[in-house]
Amino acid sequence: MDAILTDSHTHLDDRVFEADLMQVIARAHEQGVERMVTVGSLSGVEGATRSLSIARVHKGIWATLAIHPHEARLADGPTVETIERLARDPKVVAIGETGLDYHYDLSPRAQQREVFETFIRMALRLGKPLVIHTREAMEDTLRIMDDEGGWEAGGVFHCYSGDTVQTDLILSRGFYLSFAGVVTFKKSYELRDLVGALPRDRVLIETDAPYLTPVPYRGKRNEPANVRLVARTLADLWAVPLEEAARITSDNAARLFGLET
């Protein structure tokens, strides 16, 4: 494969990958996905520990650690302290995913905001960028980033779907935007228009696997190999070869996360 790809946000620690993780990684390599950033998705310390252990074992895989806003209610003091200790490992390239999710409200909103603030401060202490999750909560997300000085950490809004005003603000603060399989969906006209108009040096691609499987595999388990389909969509939007879209997005991920080149 000529196109060297980076899946900037996947959940290799998810239990759906337990039985065939090695095959999942091998299939990714077959599709030119040489770099993956695995984001802890299991509860609290369990997700952080498993993600880091996967990253330590595999060349070309790195980890990010935090507590998802869905599970903010689990972020007690000892859990946060353990995550910060683990996050000092050189294989951990960011703090996240962290942020706010007002769609499901699986944790109280006030607690989500408090935990988000906690991880912003952690990122600043450790000098690592943020991986931000925000759903139906952009106004509060941006306000907290302002209040806590989170922009200074740098980072990325993953699985991005903001409007043009929000996009301009986020880009003006030096952050990156990452796009998953949603951009391949037939009805994602506005999202594709947005991606097509973005400065290319600020765009990442991801799978968010095992979620958000791109066309034509919707309904099946997603995995990092499918980031190639996201790259192909970007290549079409930018009117460039697949190899060029892969190079641009991989270079961007390497620059943000400090990945080995």
Side-chain angles (χ1 to χ4, degrees):
M1 297 287 178
D2 294 328
I4 305 304
L5 293 151
T6 300
D7 184 353
S8 69
H9 190 114
T10 185
H11 298 286
L12 295 178
D13 69 310
D14 194 290
R15 290 188 178 90
V16 302
F17 293 129
E18 278 186 332
D20 64 343
L21 179 61
M22 296 302 296
Q23 292 90 336
V24 167
I25 294 171
R27 284 192 290 271
H29 290 164
E30 289 169 3
Q31 292 300 314
V33 186
E34 294 194 357
R35 299 176 191 156
M36 291 165 260
V37 178
T38 183
V39 179
S41 59
L42 299 175
S43 299
V45 172
E46 183 182 4
T49 302
R50 180 157 170 75
S51 289
L52 179 54
S53 67
I54 292 169
R56 283 172 169 168
V57 168
H58 296 280
K59 179 179 174 58
I61 298 179
W62 294 266
T64 81
L65 310 183
I67 293 176
H68 194 286
H70 287 340
E71 298 183 331
R73 65 193 182 282
L74 304 178
D76 58 19
T79 297
V80 172
E81 290 172 6
T82 300
I83 289 174
E84 180 162 359
R85 176 177 56 79
L86 294 173
R88 295 179 184 277
D89 191 286
K91 267 285 194 167
V92 177
V93 295
I95 301 301
E97 61 190 284
T98 183
L100 306 173
D101 194 308
Y102 292 174
H103 180 76
Y104 289 110
D105 281 330
L106 297 182
S107 286
R109 293 184 180 186
Q111 197 163 19
Q112 289 188 47
R113 292 189 288 268
E114 181 180 348
V115 172
F116 184 29
E117 292 166 359
T118 295
F119 282 110
I120 290 174
R121 295 168 194 155
M122 184 185 296
L124 292 168
R125 280 196 302 274
L126 299 182
K128 298 192 178 188
L130 287 159
V131 176
I132 294 178
H133 171 110
T134 182
R135 187 172 186 185
E136 298 177 18
M138 186 66 84
E139 182 177 345
D140 277 358
T141 299
L142 298 178
R143 177 185 55 78
I144 291 171
M145 288 291 287
D146 286 339
D147 292 347
E148 296 295 326
W151 304 111
E152 296 178 18
V156 58
F157 280 69
H158 105 94
C159 197
Y160 188 71
S161 61
D163 62 31
T164 54
V165 173
Q166 295 162 349
T167 299
D168 289 344
L169 187 152
I170 292 166
L171 292 175
S172 75
R173 300 296 196 270
F175 266 58
Y176 293 75
L177 306 175
S178 183
F179 298 90
V182 179
V183 76
T184 72
F185 298 174
K186 291 182 179 179
K187 295 184 178 180
S188 295
Y189 306 113
E190 293 182 2
L191 186 61
R192 284 197 292 270
D193 287 344
L194 174 67
V195 175
L198 288 175
R200 296 177 187 177
D201 64 348
R202 308 293 283 285
V203 176
L204 305 183
I205 54 175
E206 62 174 276
T207 57
D208 201 23
Y211 314 106
L212 301 179
T213 309
V215 173
Y217 301 122
R218 291 189 71 180
K220 299 180 180 179
R221 183 188 73 174
N222 200 8
E223 56 184 67
N226 291 332
V227 81
R228 188 178 185 88
L229 298 171
V230 181
R232 182 173 293 132
T233 297
L234 262 64
D236 291 343
L237 293 171
W238 291 344
V240 300
L242 171 62
E243 291 74 16
E244 179 69 1
R247 182 192 65 77
I248 290 169
T249 53
S250 286
D251 286 352
N252 294 344
R255 185 167 57 253
L256 171 62
F257 293 125
L259 307 183
E260 299 168 6
T261 58

